[in-house]
Amino acid sequence: EDFRSYESLKYMELISQKIIEVDNILEITSISSIVKQYNKDVLPIDIEETKLILKLDPRVDTLLNDDASIAVLQVRTDTGASAARIKQVVDDTKLSIESLEDYNPWIKSSITGFSAIDKATFNVIIKDFSKITLISFGLVAFFVFLSFITVKKTLLALSVVMITIHWTLEITGY
């Protein structure tokens, strides 16, 4: 299939219109938006006309591969370093794309990019961090108890560790 076809451009435009409504999404650039920019805000039905228009803009090289079988919708967001915001934007974007599935001519979509990959990696790290932290905390608590012998002194010594772990989780957004 060819992303320069009218049906594909129309579907990309629908996706763009839908996901621009998601909070923290600032701008979307696609071959569809480029074609509309050069063609008085109209998508041409003729694929040859689309090909000519796309040759005018150098951004097309980063948004469409050589045989036009892969296209990218470039989405600029304002999520900062907040893991919760990144997760919300990715989830809302997926839901928006899924809601348009009845209009999908043939396109398979996936969400990628630094924020999405960083979020997925961070989730794995946090999952492992939780397990390792619990095991480590249990071992430290055991050895501190052996050193201090009383529960009160052990809890006092461990309070520093608990506060530090809490701060770490707050700073990272969890």
Side-chain angles (χ1 to χ4, degrees):
E1 297 289 334
D2 192 328
F3 271 98
R4 296 170 295 193
S5 70
Y6 175 76
E7 294 80 17
S8 301
L9 292 173
K10 187 68 178 161
Y11 184 63
M12 281 189 276
E13 187 61 26
L14 282 172
I15 289 174
S16 297
Q17 290 171 357
K18 186 75 171 177
I19 63 177
I20 196 68
E21 297 171 1
V22 172
D23 287 340
N24 298 309
I25 290 185
L26 304 176
E27 178 184 25
I28 300 168
T29 306
S30 67
I31 60 170
S32 174
S33 63
I34 291 171
V35 168
K36 285 179 71 175
Q37 179 183 353
Y38 283 94
N39 200 38
K40 300 178 184 170
D41 217 28
V42 175
L43 294 173
I45 295 175
D46 182 32
I47 194 168
E48 296 305 319
E49 186 180 348
T50 301
K51 288 178 184 179
L52 291 173
I53 293 169
L54 290 174
K55 287 181 182 179
L56 300 173
D57 198 306
R59 294 176 295 173
V60 173
D61 294 338
T62 60
L63 299 174
L64 188 68
N65 72 338
D66 291 337
D67 67 353
S69 62
I70 299 173
V72 173
L73 268 73
Q74 184 178 10
V75 180
R76 192 167 63 90
T77 63
D78 180 23
T79 55
S82 171
R85 257 194 262 163
I86 293 168
K87 181 182 180 336
Q88 189 64 48
V89 167
V90 169
D91 290 347
D92 289 350
T93 302
K94 284 179 182 177
L95 283 173
S96 296
I97 293 169
E98 287 171 7
S99 73
L100 297 171
E101 194 56 38
D102 292 341
Y103 303 99
N104 188 347
W106 57 273
I107 297 171
K108 179 181 172 189
S109 64
S110 59
I111 298 175
T112 186
F114 178 76
S115 293
I117 292 169
D118 190 42
K119 172 68 178 130
T121 304
F122 193 71
N123 281 342
V124 170
I125 291 170
I126 286 297
K127 181 180 168 191
D128 291 343
F129 174 78
S130 299
K131 290 178 188 174
I132 292 169
T133 301
L134 287 174
I135 292 168
S136 300
F137 190 76
L139 288 172
V140 168
F142 175 72
F143 287 111
V144 169
F145 181 74
L146 288 178
S147 298
F148 290 117
I149 305 296
T150 67
V151 174
K152 186 176 180 179
K153 289 179 183 177
T154 301
L155 290 177
L156 183 61
L158 290 177
S159 66
V160 175
V161 175
M162 289 187 285
I163 290 170
T164 327
I165 291 171
H166 178 73
W167 283 349
T168 303
L169 293 174
E170 286 294 318
I171 289 171
T172 58
Y174 281 90

